Amino acid sequence: MLLLRRCRSLTRLQRHQAAPCFASRAVRLCSSSTEDQRSHQRANWSANWKRIVAGVLTGTGAVVTYGLLHQEVEQADAGLPTTERSSSLPVFSHDEVTKHRSLEDGVWVTYKGGVYDVTEFVPIHPGGNKILLAAGGALEPFWALYAVHDQEYVLEILSQYKVGELSAEDLKKQGEAKASDPYSSDPERHPVLRINSKKPFNAEPPPEILTESYITPHVLFFKRNHLPVPQVDPASYRLQVEGLPRGALTLSLKDLKTRFPKHTITATMQCAGNRRSDMNQVKEVKGLNWGISAIGNAKWSGARLRDVLLAAGFGPDVAKWARHVHFEGLDKDVTGSAYGTSIPINKAMNEDGDVLLAYEMNGEDIPADHGFPVRVVVPGVVGARNVKWLGRIVVSAEESSSHWQQHDYKGFSPGTDWSKVDHASSPAIQELPVQSAITVPADGAQIDRSDETLTVKGYAWSGGGREVVRVDVSLDGGKTWQVAQLRSGDKGQPDEPSPPPGRSWAWKLWELTAPLPPDADELEIICKAVDNSYNVQPDTIPPIWNLRGLLNNAWHRVKVKVTKD
Amino acid sequence: MLLLRRCRSLTRLQRHQAAPCFASRAVRLCSSSTEDQRSHQRANWSANWKRIVAGVLTGTGAVVTYGLLHQEVEQADAGLPTTERSSSLPVFSHDEVTKHRSLEDGVWVTYKGGVYDVTEFVPIHPGGNKILLAAGGALEPFWALYAVHDQEYVLEILSQYKVGELSAEDLKKQGEAKASDPYSSDPERHPVLRINSKKPFNAEPPPEILTESYITPHVLFFKRNHLPVPQVDPASYRLQVEGLPRGALTLSLKDLKTRFPKHTITATMQCAGNRRSDMNQVKEVKGLNWGISAIGNAKWSGARLRDVLLAAGFGPDVAKWARHVHFEGLDKDVTGSAYGTSIPINKAMNEDGDVLLAYEMNGEDIPADHGFPVRVVVPGVVGARNVKWLGRIVVSAEESSSHWQQHDYKGFSPGTDWSKVDHASSPAIQELPVQSAITVPADGAQIDRSDETLTVKGYAWSGGGREVVRVDVSLDGGKTWQVAQLRSGDKGQPDEPSPPPGRSWAWKLWELTAPLPPDADELEIICKAVDNSYNVQPDTIPPIWNLRGLLNNAWHRVKVKVTKD
């Protein structure tokens, strides 16, 4: 608790200090070109520094482009500073290091016997103030959790901050308490998945498989984990419901299943980073390099959150002050800090909100990767709020103060870069905008001229319960448009019944078969969807580009070649 | 009632017949080039015919571009057919004409002594099946109501359908019952308004005045009338609430004011045709040629519709079957048919829906042009559903069957033209998409280079209670973007308090002051808004072009010249 409180106060401090600290550090790095013999190399290093930071800014696990990594390794080979190289630095005891656990006292960490003062790095740490959890101690257990740090250039950045060596005696003690791999008990996954990050596990299915079924089988449903998958015993599982006047309510899995009506919805879930890879090609962003399949559609069953909160004492008096509902997962980092986030109270309590504490996915127990035994399903809302392995619910007057609510999953103007981003200026993403993508044919596919017709397939969805009412498809780069056929069920099967207005949580699959345009060697195929608020997708990516690569809902485009026999 | 029932059955018939009828007519017109001496002129006429129809497709009153009109008048001068010219046609009695009042028996009308069989014109009549109201009788009273018909080319189209002459005796009788001007008692309007149509009255304020005040004064608030303004005596005014198990509830104005709590909201109202003029420039559309000011923001006070429906007997039993709430105005055409439309029941009954039966606008009695004494205010929803001069409310399992619900105020793909439009394929517009526009500087303005900075102003709004969270402004045609300052009040005054999520009904005014880009002779200034569902505006108009010119929410662009002393 003390640690959490400290983090919160530091967060406040950081907001004011972030920009100046970044600037001073950048100046220090950029003005180092005359320091020593390696001046030229260091100038290169400095010039690349911002790009490298952009690369490492991958939050809680991500892929950095091979190009950047390769460049950096080459520079290291050419004699750039490493952790081993500095020798004449003072020796510190573990006790001395532990005194530096705040921005006021300095933020020190140890790594493989080196001592580092990372105070100035704190405001620009990609993972936000979670770096403070390691303050005054060893980095190793955290890096074991966030495998993104297992990169050469991360050591390069760290080496800039070295201030001394850890005493031999304390180093020996640390070695004895070495962290084991927290991901060792993660479940098996289907080999067809395209992996974006192994630890934590993040993966998506191939697009052409994704739209083969209206209901996405759980093995193909994209996995988006922030931390190791927790092992939960369903018999001893307990959900805490807090913040209400009657005191905490504790519910077993059986309680959830028997004390509340079972409610089933078909709902599409999408990661805010879906289609980030296309945004990455416009200008580099930080985050997992998702393709177009960080989205899936499932049948979810469970107790309504509304019913549980009413049973826990939610009433008119609470409605006067309650504004948010917090969710905490059982997925925890080494300090015991859990994944957490919140949603507005009106979504939670609205009779039409359909927020579930789900214990079934597609008619079976929720699989480990999707939140066994209980996850939140907040239909129409970004995946990040659909907390898995749910451990705790808190009704509150305030939004969650978690990293994922306050310093991630927010949109910014294309003109906003890391030097001037103010997270407080932007609302946490909740409802998502209208979206669509082409799953067939694939970009770069070859079409046979003798086919005469071309079939294009894909998905379309909108957040907030808004129903997709039309998908336009162009085969000529947007000059002319044809209307695709929509369906809400598997091909050849009847559509699912239409939901009431504002409760359209599930995607539409769409298909268009059209004559192959004559004389074209290449086609640029585009899709764009319209929802029942008549919101549409923007034409191009650059004007919605944002530094985190979120919310890419520009028209999806694929190019195919038309070949002759 | 009989007449109305007939119209509904005809509507059903029409859906199937519309496309073939249009096609056959088009073929007849397009293959007429060898008919007689005027073959060349007639070919021109035929080629222009579709464009002329597009011009006349102005529904219930609109402006047709001068170019088209001029072209048509020239053709008439050159000897095209007119109503006077056919002489050897048979003479019909009024009784004979009245036998032709359906698609089965043929649809005949009379005009200035001529008899016309317009059966084939019915499916392509711009005003939809309202033309059937005139079936078997004289057109004059209808054309007096819909002044758009008072154009030379309308007579040209009519002349194509002439089948005979009305008997002299019956013609004399008609003359005695000539219609007076139904618009003679319309209220006075402010001279600053830009008039798009006089009868019915449709006008908007100049953009630079619009954003001078956060609350739009009623004299400046855009006027969008479908019919003459009805004269309503507040003392004898009665509102009928029907469709509920207790039978009809009749409420006086005093009842509305005293039996239900007075509820006030600040809500922006926008016509679906706002910014149509820009869409018109891409390719001609039908409808009033609105600029960017068919939008306004006002404080509305009245009884909640929800409270009135509960008082009228709405309960769980009704909720089982009720799906829509219909509204009928007291503005009626010559047959007594009222303006009407409907909204989904969940918007009407939701505690957060804020639908009002408003009797005050900006703290005063609602003015005549805005619905005195009572109008519906459906915040977040297109203006067309905010029925003025409210006379009747009906709770129903079905959507309104009115022209304005079924055959107008719907969006279509840019590839859909009048020959293949299927109104049943598209949902009635309810919530509107995210919108913004630049009100200062005006397009074509001159900026003095010595000014050094440039101030850009405008409005931004989104439908469905979604709050605008950011407006991006570009001074270089979209290459770079800056974030504008938003406000929810008058300049220098404190903002109005933030509404709860999902109930953000009012616009934001925005402003950006930025250095004048060096060396630019011309600037393309663009704005685009983002709402809290992170929906954005599309880049360009052509991909959202639709035959009715509705829902233009593409980036707004103005070009200004930078001049040197």
PDB file of all heavy atoms in Angstrom, chain A residues 370-398:
ATOM      1  N   HIS A 370      -7.847 -16.309 -21.700  1.00  0.00           N
ATOM      2  CA  HIS A 370      -8.916 -15.305 -21.822  1.00  0.00           C
ATOM      3  C   HIS A 370      -9.546 -14.947 -20.486  1.00  0.00           C
ATOM      4  O   HIS A 370     -10.572 -14.285 -20.450  1.00  0.00           O
ATOM      5  CB  HIS A 370      -9.956 -15.774 -22.849  1.00  0.00           C
ATOM      6  CG  HIS A 370      -9.369 -15.867 -24.224  1.00  0.00           C
ATOM      7  ND1 HIS A 370      -9.112 -14.759 -24.991  1.00  0.00           N
ATOM      8  CD2 HIS A 370      -8.910 -16.934 -24.927  1.00  0.00           C
ATOM      9  CE1 HIS A 370      -8.549 -15.137 -26.131  1.00  0.00           C
ATOM     10  NE2 HIS A 370      -8.406 -16.452 -26.123  1.00  0.00           N
ATOM     11  N   GLY A 371      -8.909 -15.402 -19.377  1.00  0.00           N
ATOM     12  CA  GLY A 371      -9.326 -14.883 -18.088  1.00  0.00           C
ATOM     13  C   GLY A 371      -9.909 -15.862 -17.098  1.00  0.00           C
ATOM     14  O   GLY A 371     -10.594 -15.438 -16.170  1.00  0.00           O
ATOM     15  N   PHE A 372      -9.649 -17.158 -17.258  1.00  0.00           N
ATOM     16  CA  PHE A 372     -10.224 -18.150 -16.351  1.00  0.00           C
ATOM     17  C   PHE A 372      -9.943 -17.804 -14.897  1.00  0.00           C
ATOM     18  O   PHE A 372      -8.817 -17.482 -14.560  1.00  0.00           O
ATOM     19  CB  PHE A 372      -9.668 -19.556 -16.659  1.00  0.00           C
ATOM     20  CG  PHE A 372     -10.229 -20.629 -15.773  1.00  0.00           C
ATOM     21  CD1 PHE A 372     -11.457 -21.200 -16.049  1.00  0.00           C
ATOM     22  CD2 PHE A 372      -9.539 -21.035 -14.631  1.00  0.00           C
ATOM     23  CE1 PHE A 372     -11.985 -22.186 -15.224  1.00  0.00           C
ATOM     24  CE2 PHE A 372     -10.073 -22.017 -13.800  1.00  0.00           C
ATOM     25  CZ  PHE A 372     -11.299 -22.584 -14.098  1.00  0.00           C
ATOM     26  N   PRO A 373     -10.918 -17.868 -14.010  1.00  0.00           N
ATOM     27  CA  PRO A 373     -12.289 -18.348 -14.249  1.00  0.00           C
ATOM     28  C   PRO A 373     -13.292 -17.228 -14.581  1.00  0.00           C
ATOM     29  O   PRO A 373     -14.387 -17.529 -15.025  1.00  0.00           O
ATOM     30  CB  PRO A 373     -12.657 -18.992 -12.915  1.00  0.00           C
ATOM     31  CG  PRO A 373     -11.881 -18.198 -11.900  1.00  0.00           C
ATOM     32  CD  PRO A 373     -10.624 -17.711 -12.574  1.00  0.00           C
ATOM     33  N   VAL A 374     -12.928 -15.971 -14.340  1.00  0.00           N
ATOM     34  CA  VAL A 374     -13.880 -14.878 -14.554  1.00  0.00           C
ATOM     35  C   VAL A 374     -13.176 -13.677 -15.186  1.00  0.00           C
ATOM     36  O   VAL A 374     -12.103 -13.259 -14.725  1.00  0.00           O
ATOM     37  CB  VAL A 374     -14.531 -14.416 -13.215  1.00  0.00           C
ATOM     38  CG1 VAL A 374     -15.458 -13.226 -13.445  1.00  0.00           C
ATOM     39  CG2 VAL A 374     -15.305 -15.562 -12.563  1.00  0.00           C
ATOM     40  N   ARG A 375     -13.782 -13.129 -16.219  1.00  0.00           N
ATOM     41  CA  ARG A 375     -13.271 -11.892 -16.792  1.00  0.00           C
ATOM     42  C   ARG A 375     -14.426 -10.914 -16.940  1.00  0.00           C
ATOM     43  O   ARG A 375     -15.594 -11.305 -16.964  1.00  0.00           O
ATOM     44  CB  ARG A 375     -12.636 -12.119 -18.161  1.00  0.00           C
ATOM     45  CG  ARG A 375     -13.645 -12.240 -19.294  1.00  0.00           C
ATOM     46  CD  ARG A 375     -12.984 -12.265 -20.667  1.00  0.00           C
ATOM     47  NE  ARG A 375     -12.237 -11.044 -20.907  1.00  0.00           N
ATOM     48  CZ  ARG A 375     -11.416 -10.875 -21.939  1.00  0.00           C
ATOM     49  NH1 ARG A 375     -11.236 -11.850 -22.807  1.00  0.00           N
ATOM     50  NH2 ARG A 375     -10.779  -9.735 -22.105  1.00  0.00           N
ATOM     51  N   VAL A 376     -14.091  -9.642 -17.057  1.00  0.00           N
ATOM     52  CA  VAL A 376     -15.104  -8.649 -17.366  1.00  0.00           C
ATOM     53  C   VAL A 376     -15.268  -8.588 -18.881  1.00  0.00           C
ATOM     54  O   VAL A 376     -14.282  -8.644 -19.617  1.00  0.00           O
ATOM     55  CB  VAL A 376     -14.709  -7.252 -16.839  1.00  0.00           C
ATOM     56  CG1 VAL A 376     -15.883  -6.295 -16.947  1.00  0.00           C
ATOM     57  CG2 VAL A 376     -14.218  -7.324 -15.418  1.00  0.00           C
ATOM     58  N   VAL A 377     -16.509  -8.508 -19.333  1.00  0.00           N
ATOM     59  CA  VAL A 377     -16.773  -8.227 -20.741  1.00  0.00           C
ATOM     60  C   VAL A 377     -17.564  -6.915 -20.791  1.00  0.00           C
ATOM     61  O   VAL A 377     -18.669  -6.832 -20.265  1.00  0.00           O
ATOM     62  CB  VAL A 377     -17.562  -9.374 -21.415  1.00  0.00           C
ATOM     63  CG1 VAL A 377     -17.963  -8.992 -22.838  1.00  0.00           C
ATOM     64  CG2 VAL A 377     -16.705 -10.643 -21.438  1.00  0.00           C
ATOM     65  N   VAL A 378     -16.937  -5.897 -21.343  1.00  0.00           N
ATOM     66  CA  VAL A 378     -17.565  -4.575 -21.453  1.00  0.00           C
ATOM     67  C   VAL A 378     -17.849  -4.353 -22.934  1.00  0.00           C
ATOM     68  O   VAL A 378     -17.015  -3.820 -23.667  1.00  0.00           O
ATOM     69  CB  VAL A 378     -16.637  -3.459 -20.921  1.00  0.00           C
ATOM     70  CG1 VAL A 378     -17.419  -2.155 -20.755  1.00  0.00           C
ATOM     71  CG2 VAL A 378     -15.980  -3.851 -19.612  1.00  0.00           C
ATOM     72  N   PRO A 379     -19.013  -4.792 -23.408  1.00  0.00           N
ATOM     73  CA  PRO A 379     -19.231  -4.783 -24.857  1.00  0.00           C
ATOM     74  C   PRO A 379     -19.231  -3.362 -25.423  1.00  0.00           C
ATOM     75  O   PRO A 379     -19.706  -2.422 -24.771  1.00  0.00           O
ATOM     76  CB  PRO A 379     -20.603  -5.442 -25.007  1.00  0.00           C
ATOM     77  CG  PRO A 379     -21.279  -5.243 -23.698  1.00  0.00           C
ATOM     78  CD  PRO A 379     -20.196  -5.255 -22.665  1.00  0.00           C
ATOM     79  N   GLY A 380     -18.656  -3.242 -26.602  1.00  0.00           N
ATOM     80  CA  GLY A 380     -18.589  -1.925 -27.254  1.00  0.00           C
ATOM     81  C   GLY A 380     -17.409  -1.095 -26.825  1.00  0.00           C
ATOM     82  O   GLY A 380     -17.208   0.002 -27.328  1.00  0.00           O
ATOM     83  N   VAL A 381     -16.637  -1.632 -25.879  1.00  0.00           N
ATOM     84  CA  VAL A 381     -15.541  -0.865 -25.271  1.00  0.00           C
ATOM     85  C   VAL A 381     -14.208  -1.556 -25.552  1.00  0.00           C
ATOM     86  O   VAL A 381     -14.146  -2.782 -25.676  1.00  0.00           O
ATOM     87  CB  VAL A 381     -15.821  -0.703 -23.755  1.00  0.00           C
ATOM     88  CG1 VAL A 381     -14.569  -0.353 -22.974  1.00  0.00           C
ATOM     89  CG2 VAL A 381     -16.911   0.339 -23.530  1.00  0.00           C
ATOM     90  N   VAL A 382     -13.151  -0.778 -25.641  1.00  0.00           N
ATOM     91  CA  VAL A 382     -11.809  -1.274 -25.957  1.00  0.00           C
ATOM     92  C   VAL A 382     -11.422  -2.481 -25.082  1.00  0.00           C
ATOM     93  O   VAL A 382     -11.732  -2.527 -23.892  1.00  0.00           O
ATOM     94  CB  VAL A 382     -10.783  -0.125 -25.791  1.00  0.00           C
ATOM     95  CG1 VAL A 382     -10.712   0.372 -24.354  1.00  0.00           C
ATOM     96  CG2 VAL A 382      -9.417  -0.548 -26.292  1.00  0.00           C
ATOM     97  N   GLY A 383     -10.715  -3.436 -25.679  1.00  0.00           N
ATOM     98  CA  GLY A 383     -10.292  -4.650 -24.992  1.00  0.00           C
ATOM     99  C   GLY A 383      -9.656  -4.412 -23.631  1.00  0.00           C
ATOM    100  O   GLY A 383      -9.896  -5.167 -22.684  1.00  0.00           O
ATOM    101  N   ALA A 384      -8.866  -3.360 -23.532  1.00  0.00           N
ATOM    102  CA  ALA A 384      -8.104  -3.088 -22.302  1.00  0.00           C
ATOM    103  C   ALA A 384      -8.973  -2.975 -21.052  1.00  0.00           C
ATOM    104  O   ALA A 384      -8.475  -3.166 -19.937  1.00  0.00           O
ATOM    105  CB  ALA A 384      -7.286  -1.813 -22.475  1.00  0.00           C
ATOM    106  N   ARG A 385     -10.255  -2.638 -21.219  1.00  0.00           N
ATOM    107  CA  ARG A 385     -11.129  -2.501 -20.034  1.00  0.00           C
ATOM    108  C   ARG A 385     -11.805  -3.827 -19.685  1.00  0.00           C
ATOM    109  O   ARG A 385     -12.490  -3.921 -18.673  1.00  0.00           O
ATOM    110  CB  ARG A 385     -12.203  -1.434 -20.264  1.00  0.00           C
ATOM    111  CG  ARG A 385     -11.730  -0.127 -20.863  1.00  0.00           C
ATOM    112  CD  ARG A 385     -10.762   0.647 -19.992  1.00  0.00           C
ATOM    113  NE  ARG A 385     -10.118   1.719 -20.752  1.00  0.00           N
ATOM    114  CZ  ARG A 385      -8.856   2.089 -20.640  1.00  0.00           C
ATOM    115  NH1 ARG A 385      -8.045   1.496 -19.767  1.00  0.00           N
ATOM    116  NH2 ARG A 385      -8.358   3.065 -21.375  1.00  0.00           N
ATOM    117  N   ASN A 386     -11.659  -4.827 -20.537  1.00  0.00           N
ATOM    118  CA  ASN A 386     -12.281  -6.138 -20.336  1.00  0.00           C
ATOM    119  C   ASN A 386     -11.341  -7.011 -19.506  1.00  0.00           C
ATOM    120  O   ASN A 386     -10.774  -7.984 -19.996  1.00  0.00           O
ATOM    121  CB  ASN A 386     -12.579  -6.779 -21.690  1.00  0.00           C
ATOM    122  CG  ASN A 386     -13.644  -6.039 -22.497  1.00  0.00           C
ATOM    123  OD1 ASN A 386     -14.752  -6.503 -22.661  1.00  0.00           O
ATOM    124  ND2 ASN A 386     -13.308  -4.853 -23.009  1.00  0.00           N
ATOM    125  N   VAL A 387     -11.174  -6.635 -18.253  1.00  0.00           N
ATOM    126  CA  VAL A 387     -10.123  -7.210 -17.408  1.00  0.00           C
ATOM    127  C   VAL A 387     -10.306  -8.718 -17.225  1.00  0.00           C
ATOM    128  O   VAL A 387     -11.394  -9.189 -16.894  1.00  0.00           O
ATOM    129  CB  VAL A 387     -10.094  -6.476 -16.052  1.00  0.00           C
ATOM    130  CG1 VAL A 387      -9.123  -7.150 -15.087  1.00  0.00           C
ATOM    131  CG2 VAL A 387      -9.703  -5.014 -16.269  1.00  0.00           C
ATOM    132  N   LYS A 388      -9.199  -9.452 -17.436  1.00  0.00           N
ATOM    133  CA  LYS A 388      -9.207 -10.911 -17.316  1.00  0.00           C
ATOM    134  C   LYS A 388      -8.810 -11.319 -15.901  1.00  0.00           C
ATOM    135  O   LYS A 388      -8.257 -10.515 -15.151  1.00  0.00           O
ATOM    136  CB  LYS A 388      -8.235 -11.487 -18.346  1.00  0.00           C
ATOM    137  CG  LYS A 388      -8.615 -11.102 -19.783  1.00  0.00           C
ATOM    138  CD  LYS A 388      -7.899 -11.938 -20.826  1.00  0.00           C
ATOM    139  CE  LYS A 388      -6.526 -11.371 -21.137  1.00  0.00           C
ATOM    140  NZ  LYS A 388      -5.938 -12.018 -22.339  1.00  0.00           N
ATOM    141  N   TRP A 389      -9.052 -12.585 -15.541  1.00  0.00           N
ATOM    142  CA  TRP A 389      -8.680 -13.119 -14.216  1.00  0.00           C
ATOM    143  C   TRP A 389      -9.094 -12.119 -13.133  1.00  0.00           C
ATOM    144  O   TRP A 389      -8.318 -11.730 -12.274  1.00  0.00           O
ATOM    145  CB  TRP A 389      -7.167 -13.369 -14.157  1.00  0.00           C
ATOM    146  CG  TRP A 389      -6.661 -14.059 -15.390  1.00  0.00           C
ATOM    147  CD1 TRP A 389      -6.913 -15.348 -15.765  1.00  0.00           C
ATOM    148  CD2 TRP A 389      -5.836 -13.490 -16.430  1.00  0.00           C
ATOM    149  NE1 TRP A 389      -6.295 -15.617 -16.971  1.00  0.00           N
ATOM    150  CE2 TRP A 389      -5.629 -14.498 -17.393  1.00  0.00           C
ATOM    151  CE3 TRP A 389      -5.250 -12.235 -16.631  1.00  0.00           C
ATOM    152  CZ2 TRP A 389      -4.870 -14.280 -18.534  1.00  0.00           C
ATOM    153  CZ3 TRP A 389      -4.497 -12.010 -17.762  1.00  0.00           C
ATOM    154  CH2 TRP A 389      -4.316 -13.035 -18.698  1.00  0.00           C
ATOM    155  N   LEU A 390     -10.357 -11.726 -13.211  1.00  0.00           N
ATOM    156  CA  LEU A 390     -10.858 -10.649 -12.350  1.00  0.00           C
ATOM    157  C   LEU A 390     -10.755 -11.006 -10.877  1.00  0.00           C
ATOM    158  O   LEU A 390     -11.255 -12.054 -10.450  1.00  0.00           O
ATOM    159  CB  LEU A 390     -12.320 -10.353 -12.709  1.00  0.00           C
ATOM    160  CG  LEU A 390     -12.971  -9.195 -11.954  1.00  0.00           C
ATOM    161  CD1 LEU A 390     -12.330  -7.865 -12.335  1.00  0.00           C
ATOM    162  CD2 LEU A 390     -14.473  -9.157 -12.245  1.00  0.00           C
ATOM    163  N   GLY A 391     -10.124 -10.139 -10.091  1.00  0.00           N
ATOM    164  CA  GLY A 391      -9.971 -10.392  -8.664  1.00  0.00           C
ATOM    165  C   GLY A 391     -10.746  -9.415  -7.802  1.00  0.00           C
ATOM    166  O   GLY A 391     -11.214  -9.763  -6.714  1.00  0.00           O
ATOM    167  N   ARG A 392     -10.912  -8.190  -8.313  1.00  0.00           N
ATOM    168  CA  ARG A 392     -11.442  -7.146  -7.437  1.00  0.00           C
ATOM    169  C   ARG A 392     -12.209  -6.117  -8.260  1.00  0.00           C
ATOM    170  O   ARG A 392     -11.799  -5.747  -9.361  1.00  0.00           O
ATOM    171  CB  ARG A 392     -10.245  -6.481  -6.752  1.00  0.00           C
ATOM    172  CG  ARG A 392     -10.566  -5.602  -5.595  1.00  0.00           C
ATOM    173  CD  ARG A 392      -9.284  -5.393  -4.748  1.00  0.00           C
ATOM    174  NE  ARG A 392      -9.425  -4.246  -3.874  1.00  0.00           N
ATOM    175  CZ  ARG A 392      -8.816  -3.075  -4.067  1.00  0.00           C
ATOM    176  NH1 ARG A 392      -7.993  -2.907  -5.076  1.00  0.00           N
ATOM    177  NH2 ARG A 392      -9.019  -2.076  -3.223  1.00  0.00           N
ATOM    178  N   ILE A 393     -13.349  -5.703  -7.695  1.00  0.00           N
ATOM    179  CA  ILE A 393     -14.167  -4.647  -8.296  1.00  0.00           C
ATOM    180  C   ILE A 393     -14.308  -3.559  -7.240  1.00  0.00           C
ATOM    181  O   ILE A 393     -14.625  -3.863  -6.083  1.00  0.00           O
ATOM    182  CB  ILE A 393     -15.569  -5.183  -8.661  1.00  0.00           C
ATOM    183  CG1 ILE A 393     -15.470  -6.290  -9.712  1.00  0.00           C
ATOM    184  CG2 ILE A 393     -16.475  -4.061  -9.132  1.00  0.00           C
ATOM    185  CD1 ILE A 393     -16.803  -7.000  -9.973  1.00  0.00           C
ATOM    186  N   VAL A 394     -14.083  -2.313  -7.622  1.00  0.00           N
ATOM    187  CA  VAL A 394     -14.231  -1.220  -6.663  1.00  0.00           C
ATOM    188  C   VAL A 394     -15.088  -0.121  -7.280  1.00  0.00           C
ATOM    189  O   VAL A 394     -14.773   0.387  -8.361  1.00  0.00           O
ATOM    190  CB  VAL A 394     -12.857  -0.620  -6.259  1.00  0.00           C
ATOM    191  CG1 VAL A 394     -13.045   0.442  -5.165  1.00  0.00           C
ATOM    192  CG2 VAL A 394     -11.907  -1.705  -5.790  1.00  0.00           C
ATOM    193  N   VAL A 395     -16.177   0.244  -6.601  1.00  0.00           N
ATOM    194  CA  VAL A 395     -16.991   1.384  -7.030  1.00  0.00           C
ATOM    195  C   VAL A 395     -16.353   2.641  -6.460  1.00  0.00           C
ATOM    196  O   VAL A 395     -16.011   2.685  -5.271  1.00  0.00           O
ATOM    197  CB  VAL A 395     -18.443   1.230  -6.533  1.00  0.00           C
ATOM    198  CG1 VAL A 395     -19.260   2.465  -6.878  1.00  0.00           C
ATOM    199  CG2 VAL A 395     -19.072  -0.019  -7.151  1.00  0.00           C
ATOM    200  N   SER A 396     -16.178   3.648  -7.296  1.00  0.00           N
ATOM    201  CA  SER A 396     -15.374   4.792  -6.863  1.00  0.00           C
ATOM    202  C   SER A 396     -15.881   6.103  -7.462  1.00  0.00           C
ATOM    203  O   SER A 396     -16.564   6.112  -8.494  1.00  0.00           O
ATOM    204  CB  SER A 396     -13.921   4.560  -7.316  1.00  0.00           C
ATOM    205  OG  SER A 396     -13.135   5.700  -7.092  1.00  0.00           O
ATOM    206  N   ALA A 397     -15.524   7.192  -6.808  1.00  0.00           N
ATOM    207  CA  ALA A 397     -15.817   8.519  -7.368  1.00  0.00           C
ATOM    208  C   ALA A 397     -14.762   8.911  -8.396  1.00  0.00           C
ATOM    209  O   ALA A 397     -14.966   9.838  -9.183  1.00  0.00           O
ATOM    210  CB  ALA A 397     -15.866   9.557  -6.254  1.00  0.00           C
ATOM    211  N   GLU A 398     -13.626   8.207  -8.389  1.00  0.00           N
ATOM    212  CA  GLU A 398     -12.511   8.565  -9.259  1.00  0.00           C
ATOM    213  C   GLU A 398     -12.246   7.483 -10.297  1.00  0.00           C
ATOM    214  O   GLU A 398     -12.526   6.308 -10.055  1.00  0.00           O
ATOM    215  CB  GLU A 398     -11.227   8.754  -8.437  1.00  0.00           C
ATOM    216  CG  GLU A 398     -11.358   9.722  -7.277  1.00  0.00           C
ATOM    217  CD  GLU A 398     -11.639  11.132  -7.734  1.00  0.00           C
ATOM    218  OE1 GLU A 398     -11.219  11.484  -8.853  1.00  0.00           O
ATOM    219  OE2 GLU A 398     -12.320  11.885  -6.988  1.00  0.00           O
TER     220      GLU A 398
END
